[in-house]
Structures are given as structure tokens and as C-alpha cells.
Amino acid sequence: MAARGARRLLGSLWIALFLGQPDPAAAAARSSSQSPAGSTVRTFTPFYFLVEPVDTLSVRGAFVILNCSAYCEPSPKIEWKKDGTFLNLVSDDRRQLLPDGSLLINGVVHSKHNKPDEGYYQCVATVESLGTIVSRTAKLTVAGLPRFTSQPESTSVYRGNSVILNCEVNADLVPFVRWEQDRQPFFLDDRVFTLPSGALIISNVTDGDGGLYRCVIESGGSPKYSDEAELKVLPDPEVPLNLVFLRQPSPLTKVTGQSAVFPCVTSGFPTPVIKWMRNEEELTIEDSERFLLLAGGSLEISDITEDDAGTYACIVDNGNETIEAQADLTVQAPPEFLKQPANIYAHESMDIVFECEVTGKPTPTVKWIKNGDMVIPSDYFKIVKEHNLQVLGLVKSDEGFYQCIAENDVGNAQAGAQLIILEHAPATTGPLPSAPRDVVASLVSTRFIKLTWRTPASDPHGDNLTYTVFYTKEGINRERVENTSRPGEMQVTIQNLMPETVYVFRVVAQNRHGPGESSIPLKVATQPEVQLPGPAPNIRAYANSPTSITVTWDTPLSGNGEIQNYKLYYMEKGTDNEQDVDVGGHSYTINGLKKYTEYSFRVVAYNKHGPGVSTQDVVVQTLSDVPSAAPQNLSLEVRNSKSIIIHWQPPPAGTHNGQITGYKIRYRKASRKSEVTESIGGTQLFQLIEGLERGTEYSFRVAALTSNGTGPATDWISAETFESDLDETRVPEVPSSLHVRPLVTSIVVSWTPPENQNIVVRGYAIGYGIGSPHAQTIKVDYKQRYYTIENLDPSSHYVITLKAFNNVGEGIPLYESAVTRPHTVPDPSPMMPPVGVQASILSHDTIRITWADNSLPKNQKITDARYYTVRWKTNIPANTKYKTANTTTLSYLVTSLKPNTLYEFSVMVTKGRRSSTWSMTAHGTTFELVPTSPPKDVTVVSKEGKPRTIIVNWQPPSEANGKITGYIIYYSTDVNAEIHDWVIEPVVGNRLTHQIQELTLDTPYYFKIQARNSKGMGPMSEAVQFRTPKALGSAGKGSRPLDIGPDYKPPMSGSNSPHGSPTSPLDSNMLLVIIVSVGVITIVIVVIVAVFCTRRTTSHQKKKRAACKSVNGSHKYKGNSKDVKPPDLWIHHERLELKPIDKSPDPNPIMTDTPIPRNSQDITPVDNSMDSNIHQRRNSYRGHESEDSMSTLAGRRGMRPKMMMPFDSQPPQPVISAHPIHSLDNPHHHFHSGSLASPTRSYHHHQVNPWPIGTSMSNSDRANSTESVRNTPSTDTMPASSSQTCCADHQDPESATASYLANAQEEDSGQSLPTAHVRPSHPLKSFAVPAVPPTGSTYDPALPSTPLLTQQVHSVKTASIGTLGRTRPPMPVVVPSAPDVQETTRMLEDSESNYEPDELTKEMAHLEGLMKDLNAITTA
């Protein structure tokens, strides 16, 4: 590709491109020279760094110079970045730019809480109209406060032996350490040297070495001295002494060019001989210039190279014994360029490659910078061969300086090159060719297109014409170019296209005078790929170590030809930075991965046609390792004279390398070398150390633990216990003084502590603000005596307050005010804010923000170094905390948002020092997600006066992630039972309490609650245990009615609970009088209606059609269309009572009651011989009512008390009761399809439906039945005779209901189903005349009364504890029926046209039988 591009460049300096006019300002600034051929060729401008900043170590209060100098004509403008942000050096009184571009920092500031100067610095050089280059990054480290981690201790040594005096300090303080003997400087020689840690080693000790030693830290300011230690020199021992290591070599990691010291200090007599081995080969030290044997036998290696890495062993021998110690030397190398990018000339639409080869250890990563901004890989900017940058289809804005930045753990380097887009020479005088004719795609494949054309009309022969083809993807303004190979050739093949992609082609002819007109653009779409390899099967990945993973796969089954190679793609889970590597075989091991991190892998096979189908992603995690970083923010708090509490934070994210299992705390007295005490704690982030000595300074350090071992520890930090237990029963007194020193944008505050030193001071609170000190507050340590308040406004009046505080509270404040100095440089004019901010919701946690920038050209292309800042927060008035992110594009993907939350977004643009105001806000609400937390505060209490009833209360989940549409209560007597064996109680989403009845007394129950929103079910709450109370005088199990106590009160007339209640103690005589009265009135009204009906003249056939229409058609009542549905009923299982469901208009009831069986004793087995009777008997049943009757009935249902009529003389019979469970999918439908017809409004039927049980219902019928059952309230019924006329064509609603229930069980186990159970009870005496059973039917002799209403009942899963998961055989429903006078009259009026005279005669006989039953009751 690069060779072809160069060939095109040399052969096409005369090509004219028609992609638009170049920037006139840029053209005016160019330096140019005339080529011999007459074309304008610009020369490359030398632009490079003469000096780049280097890593620097400084001390507090010193001045630092970071050198930087760049060469260019004209002179470049130098700016500095710190931690990626430009420094404003104009108003900075401590940092200033020197004339050569270097950065001077006066009085380095560094404290425990304020480190403004420490960080990473980068020099940026810019030449207007030419470009920008950036230097390498330099780290400025400021040495900490002078502090000894270990100090010398008095010791004695035999003459001629070696001795070590410890003086350990932080690594950044080692260069500032020196030693004194008897308080005089102690000079080093070939017998004495210091280790990198600061320790002093004296070998071959003489008598003159005795004395008092101390080490000194001189890091600016007054020197800090260690404790003095006395060294005594003893005479030679007369007996041999065992060899002992005083200091063994320890593993080292060094960078090439540095020096390394392996200590090997021993003690023993006779004096031993020491030799060194490397990788089991003896080192020849005498003739080496880089290896040096120090006094006492330690080894120093200078100017380290990568070849020096290995295992070094120190072997000590004194003739009597030999001891050995070894350590590894790891050598790292900073990045180094093997090939640097080269300057490139190019024309627009060409392809170029900047080459960049680097080496280093660890392997460096490479990124590319264009004019100071990061190059983001895309379809036209590609990283090829790991490090090279390829730019396809050059445009004018691609011109500038490109830099290859290589970096690894030990350094970074940069190298750059310039890209010049050449202008084409103007055409010479003479005719130019016209446009080529008839440009066609003669061959179209998946990845190449062959174009042919005819010569221009202006030059029919065209032998001397050359042609250039420009092409681009449709919608992309980057054109690429392809030239014909020889003059006169009128075809070209364009390679490396994408399948199923539309390309736009145009052809330009050129003669010796220059390029001519362009042809009309031709759009051609490549064909879809068909001959590519399939996915590689059996892709597997496994971790080898904490940093490597091996991936294996097999050859694709459909290769479509020979597989040339594979491309392995991998990326860290949770990121979108996918990398790839070319592989020739079927396995590959990827090294250099992050520890204990998940990676995803996929493989794509390549054949001669290109890449095939990718495999599915396989995810694997690298192995865990010890943490690679120490815990953060270690702090000490002195509690009293004998205890100190330690606080810390976990190691930084990405350095855990596994699951943190605990922390190891080590502490010791800091005054002298003392034994270290270890304490291993759990994962909590604090530890109280007790039993310490009063008035003693202790040093502490903390290390994190994983299952692999202990990670690096923090630096030692010290705190001193109180000399005496100070008073902390009151707040501290006022600080004794407060001083302020204002600067331009900061104020330096200093103070002295309170005069009363007997009260504990744990810190100081500094408040400040313009005109008020309460705008912001900063807390500092009790040892601190000054603080610099940063980021203030110039020329502003600030009020500052200082308060000492302890655990009791804050003391009396001290006030001071100051006016910051004026700003001498005017602020740059602000930019225009972005417009058209839009928020597009992508998922439950992701929103894409897009906007436009009116300060950009119309094409909205960003060509400068501007960037955008997006900020967002939840749209809650109390929430004022924004999150922000920066981007260089006109959109941003905001992730990690909360589900179902309204956010507001705004955008601002920044270019250099200019920024805009925030744009207008856009709002977006994330999608819902299933609840991620269970309902909380679950409590269970017993209902007062009802020991078998409990009330469950709860609060919504704290993480509902959407509107809660329902809850499910699970309960069981066995907490370890499978969850599908628990009883469930659904509750609609607007309720937070629920009542459960008929529990077993003195029994422990366990309750769990699960919440649901539109996305699904959330987690269950923890099980809550509740034991039902012991009730006095409770009735035993069996057929005896419940023993009602003398304190029992009948329910209020307004009560309309859908569950049973104990039989109301009404007077039996009054009850009978009411029943007889109702019956007599009913008969009178029926007779009147019957006489009226006999006078009807409508034909018999028309009446049948009307009857069918009334059942299955749509009736209009007061202009509304209503479907006829089976009435909703509750069949109570305690008192054999059929009651209408409460149709209360209250949309938000507080509590729902659902009776279900509570124990296995409540269930009576049923003989299977009943099945045939039940399956052969069906009730053809129809009913409807008008709106008026419905509203009237609803009013009566709410006020009418229940009538309970037990007959002890009747033998017990099994009765089935069913109750609906409200569907969570539609919480407004409180009435399930399982409801039965109301006994108070039912007619008695003499006919029995002969349909067999096998009759099925079509899907459409089932859907209609389901819809009608769900959406229509209970309706009154019409006489059976009307339904008989249409049974041949239509299935009745009850049949639909039963089928719906069965199908609902099969299709959706999650759908709420009616629960049912059988218990012995006293049936009501039937008021019906016994119906003649069909042929073949048998009746159980245990049933003396004929059921008024029998309905096919499918097997229903019972909801009683102890029988979960089992089904019950169908049970006949024995339903007592007493017609309501007003309702019966209305039904007769509605259906009067459907009766024939013979049917009325039968009905009259039926009513006479009813009267006989009523008379028998009255006489009894």
C-alpha cells in the first residue's frame, strides 16, 4: 500500500483535486519554493524540541526548573500542561515561564493535604498556521517531611568484623542523608559505604571506628537528626564465631543505566571470603568495569543493561562453614525508537503510513498525537502493524505534525514528523480534456469493483491521456484515489472494498496541460459476502497466570477455501477498546494483561476473500495475585493515652489483583528499633490499637491481603499517644491567633493552637466565602498550622473563620477578613455555548447526548483543539451535585446511570483559555429495570381479636427501578422448603399491607415478599418468622362449627369482605319470615310477567334468534355495548356461602383478604366415582343486566348483611370453594375468570347440557372468553331456556371460563390461578326441585340434595400447606339459591320475549315446588 502510494505520488504531481478550496489563511502563511517543473512545492519546516523536561526530585520550599526549549522558524509559543491541563502562568506568582520556555517553580509547596506542585508536566510548543508538538512527560516528585522509619541503635562489634547502623528513610529522602561520628561529618571510603536505604556499613572495623553515630536529613530548612547510637569495638575473639548474615541481598528492579547494590554483610570469625554468582556462573569482578565489590562483600553494578538481569547469589566461606543467600535482579528499559516517523509529502485523496518502531521493557504502548491532540482510530485513521499510523483518503485538514508517543512503566518518549498536502501546479495554457464518457462498473464483486469508460469527447483518440479515479463511501467526504497504470488505459480495478456498501466513483482525464473535467459521479454497491469462512468452532480460553491467557480454537467447518490466517480480538470486559493480533495457528497466548481482570475473546478466520464470520465472545478472568499497591489515605487518630485508631482506604482500583480478604497492620515504637507487632484484621477499613504506652510515639503501616499473599505496605506514619488523658468532655477553646496573607487567587492562613492545652484538639475547621465564612469548609489535621485556600476570585472580599474541634464538637470561632489581589490580565471573551442539546435514551443506564456547535463550520467538523464538557445530575431540586466528562466530539455516551430516573444534561465548550457558558438543559429518563432490592421493613403482626388472622406490612424496595405494579407474599411453615412449595398471595402495587386469614394456631410461619415492576420480578426479602398465638376456646377440627364466644359481635352491615365470617347470631324466626316474604313477592311478580309474556305474537324462530343474540352478541344499554359474562362470585370455604364479590368503587383499598386452606387437615378426600357424574353434568347458563340494575345491585351488595343458614340435621358433604388471585399483569382487574354465578340471581334449570367433557374451545373462542372474563363485571343471568336455543352454535360463557382456567395453567405457570380446597361443612338445604339426571349418570348417595349449579372444574393446584404441588380431583359445587325479588323481576323483563307458553308452564311448576320447600321451612 505504501509503495503504491509513493508511486502514485511521483507520477501525479499534476493531479488537480476538486474537493474544495484550501484555507486561505493557511496558504498565506506557507513558505514555498519553486520546483524546476514549475509546480509549487513547500519545504518541510524544522520544528523539534532541543531540550525536554526530565523527571525531577525536589524538596519543600526549594525552587525547581523544568527545562524545555523548541526550535522553529518563526519562534514557537511555549505552554505547559500539568496532569493534562494547561497552566495559567500569567496570574501565577510562584510559577513562571522563562525566556527559553523552561518552567520555574519558586518555593515548592508540599504538605499532607496540599500538594499543588507534585505531578506530571508536559511542554507544548505551537507555531501559528504550522502546528503543535508536545514533549515527553516529566514527573516532579517532592520529598516528604523528614522522618526516620528506623534509627541507629547502640551495638558492639569485634575488631575486623563488619557492622550495620540502620537509618531508614523514605526513598525520596535518601539523597539528602549523611552521617556524623561524634557530631562531626563521617566521610566514606573504600571501607565504609551507605546502602540505598540510608543504612551505614563499616567493614574491617578498627578501634578508631568506635564512637557516637547519628544520621542527618538535610532536605531544606533546619536539618533533622536521628538518635545517637554508640559503637563499641571489642578485641578479636579467641574462639571461632558462627557465620551470620547481618544483611542479605533482596530482590531489585532497576532501569537500564541505573546502579544497583546487592548487600551481603556477614559477621563471624575467622573473617570470611565472599564470592558472587550470576545464574549459577561465577562473576569475574576483578576485570570488570561495571561490577564492583564493596567493603564487606556487597556487590555494586553500575550502568545496568538488560543482559544483567538474573539471579545473583552471595556465597560466604570462612573455612569452617559456608552460607549462601540469593536475590533476583529485574531490569526494565524505557521506550526507545528503532524507527522514527519520517516527513511525508502527499496529495489529497492519497493514502499514507507513518512508521514507528519502538522497543522497551515492559513492552511500550504507542499512541499518536496530531497537532497536540490524540488521534482516535477510525475507518480512515488506523493503527497497523501494532504501532504504525495509516491515514486513508487525505483531506486538507490532515496536514500538520504527527507524533508517536511511546510509554511504559519506567518512561516515555516521543518522535514526530510533518505531513504536507501538496498543491497542484496551475494548468499551462492549452486545451484540457473534457469529462470521460460512459463510466460503468463492468465487474462488481464483494470486495472489488472494475470500472471502464470511454475517452473524452474532446480527445477521441486519447492515446496520451492518463486517468485518475476518485472514490469514497456514500455519505463520506474523504475521497481516495487510484491511477491507471499507463497512458491510454481506460479501466481500473478498485480493491479492498467492503461488502454490501455503496461507493461513489468519478473519473478525471489529464493531458500534458493538466487535469480536465470530472465525470458524473457513479454510485455502485458491492455484493454481499458469500464465500467467506464460517466461525471457528470450539473456541476456549483459560488463564495461565495473573497476566496471561491462552486461547485455542479449531478450523472452521465451512472454510470456503484455504484459511490463510486468523485474527484474535480481545478487550477488557467493560471497555470498548478492542485490540487484535494476527495468528497463523490454532492457539495463542496473550501476555501483559491486567491481573484478576475479565477479558473477552473472539476469533475471525481469513481466506483469500477476506474476514469470515466471528465466533461468539468467550470471557475468562486472569488469575489473582497479591495486591500491587498499598492501601491509600492511611491516617492515625489518637484516642487517649493508651490507644490509637487507624483509618485507611483500599488500594486503588485495578491494583487489588484479587478479592481483598483482610489487612495486615504492623506497628512499633518509633523512638528506637523495637520489635514489630502484627495484627491481621478483616475487610473493615479501620482498627483500634489498644494497650499502648502513654506519651510514646508509634509508627504504623498497613498492607492488603488476598488469597495469594500480602501486598506492598504503606509508608510508616507515626503518632504519639497523649502524656495524660486530656479532657474531651467539652469543645476546644478558641485558637490563640489567626493570620491571613492574600494573593491573587489564594489566601494563606496560619494560626496557633488554643492556650488551654488540657482539652483534646483533633483538628481545625477553616470556613471561608465572599462576605460570609459559611460558603465552604475545610478540615485539617490537629498538627497543621497553616493552609492555602486555592481557586479564589481576584479582587474579592473574603471572610475567614477558624475553629478547633474534637469529638464533642467545634469550639468558638476566630474571624479574619482579607481582599484578594486584583487580576492584571483581562479574561478572554467567552465562546458561544453549544445548541440543540438532545438526550437519547438507550437503556436503563445509558443516555446519548448530542449537540451542535454554532462556532464550527456548517459541516460541524472539529479541526482545532477544542473540547466539550458534559455535565449531568438527577432532576431533584435538592440535588445540586453534578458529574462531568470531557469529549472532543459532538456527542457523548453517559453510562452508569440509575434506572427510571430523570436526568438533566448541559454542555459547554472550551478552546484554550476560552470557555462558553453552559448550554440549555436537555432532559431524559432512563428505562426501567427489574427491582434490584427486596421490599424492606417487613413486619408480621397478629390481628386483634382474630388469632388466626395476621397482617403483613412492608415498605417498597429502596431500589424499585420503576413503578411497582405488584407484590407477591410467600409463606410457609418450612423455611427450607423449595420456593415453589410456598403459598403465594399476590397484592397490587399500591398496597403496603395485606391480611392473611385462617392460619393454624400456635404454628411458626415464615414470610417473604417479592416486588414487581413492568420489567419483571425483583429479589425476595429475607424470611421473617411469626408464630401464631394460642387462642382460648378454639374449635376442634372436623364438622363442628366454630365455637363463638359470648363477646362475638356480628359484622357491620357495611362490611363487604370477600371472605367468610362467623355465622351472625340473628334470630331464626326473623330469618324465616324474611325468606317467606321474599318468596311470596317473587311468585306474584313472576305470575304477572308470565301473563304479559303469553300475549306476545313474535314467532318462535325470531325469539330463538333474539335469545342467541342476547347471549353472544352485543347489547346496547343506554348507548353502551356490553358483553355478557358469567357473574363474579366468591364461594366461601368456611360457611358454604356464595356471596357476590365486593364491587366497591374505592380504587385504592388498604388491605385485601384472601382465604385459602392453611393445613392438610382441612382437606377431605373425594371418591373418584364422583368424576363421571361431574364430567357428564354441565349447566347451560346465560345472564345479562342493564347498567341500572348493576348500579342498584352494587348498592345493595354493599349494605346487605350476610345470611348464614346452617342445618345440623344434614350430613356433611364435600364442598369446593374457589377464590380468585388478582393478576399482577393488570392490577385493575380485581375479578378473576374463576368466579361462579351469583346464587341470589340464578335461575333453576331442568335441562342438563349433554356436551361431553372432551369438547374443546378454539383459540379465538378462548381469546374472546378471556377478554370478556377479564373486563366485564358480574352480570345477572337469563333463563336457561334462552340459552338452550343457541347451544348448537355457541359455547356458553361458563364453558369458556373453565377452558380459560385450564389453558392459563398450562400456558403460563406464572399467571395467578384460583386456589381451591375442600373441607367438610353443613350444606344449605336445596330450594330446587330435583332435576332428572341424564342417562348413564350416577349420583353419590351421600348427596341428598340436587346441585342447582354444577360446573366442570378442572384439577386446580391447592394452596394449602402440606399439599403443595399436588392436584385435587374435581368437586361438585353445591350451591343454595334464593331468587332476589327485584333482580328476578328485571331478568324476566329483559328476557320476556324468549319464553313459549309451554316453557312458562314448566317454570310455574318449578316455582310451585319452590313454594313447597319454603312452607316446609316455615313449619319447621
Side-chain angles (χ1 to χ4, degrees), residues 12-17 39-40 347-348 422-427 515:
S12 61
L13 287 176
W14 297 96
I15 297 175
L17 303 179
S39 63
T40 301
H347 288 105
E348 286 189 87
L422 290 175
E423 298 289 340
H424 295 285

Side-chain angles (χ1 to χ4, degrees), residues 1344-1367:
S1345 58
T1346 302
L1348 298 179
L1349 173 64
T1350 59
Q1351 178 179 349
Q1352 175 185 345
V1353 181
H1354 291 260
S1355 298
V1356 179
K1357 184 174 179 179
T1358 61
S1360 58
I1361 298 171
T1363 60
L1364 293 162
R1366 299 194 295 273
T1367 57

